[in-house]
Amino acid sequence: MREQTQTNSAAPGDGLIRAGAIIFFVGAVATLVTVAPLLLGTTPFPTFMFLLSMLMGVGFLVAGAGVFRSVAAGRRQARAASRPSVSPSPSR
């Protein structure tokens, strides 16, 4: 079966995993930007920056959903491959 799989083919959950990673990265940068003034003793950023920090959790959940979707597709594919093919019985 591995011979038939293309190396550049996208699995069902790959898009969600990529989107989740990007969202997580944006949230991580927002968290660093938000925490820096608190550690440096300057005036803190407005509330929307704290809300942007919550994107880390959202990105983690989106990526997790992509992983579960990819696992489910792999299980369906393995289950379909393990079923014996039914050949028509010869007529007498």
Side-chain angles (χ1 to χ4, degrees):
M1 194 64 158
R2 183 166 289 272
E3 302 85 30
Q4 297 173 357
T5 304
Q6 296 178 0
T7 57
N8 60 358
S9 62
D14 285 353
L16 283 174
I17 294 171
R18 286 188 186 109
I22 292 169
I23 294 170
F24 182 87
F25 181 72
V26 169
V29 169
T31 299
L32 290 174
V33 169
T34 304
V35 172
L38 299 175
L39 297 175
L40 297 174
T42 60
T43 58
F45 283 103
T47 306
F48 76 89
M49 287 300 291
F50 291 97
L51 295 175
L52 281 178
S53 298
M54 293 184 188
L55 286 178
M56 284 179 66
V58 173
F60 187 75
L61 289 175
V62 170
V67 168
F68 283 126
R69 186 172 180 204
S70 178
V71 167
R75 290 183 72 187
R76 277 193 303 271
Q77 185 179 12
R79 199 176 307 133
S82 68
R83 289 187 182 146
S85 61
V86 178
S87 61
S89 60
S91 302
R92 291 184 189 193

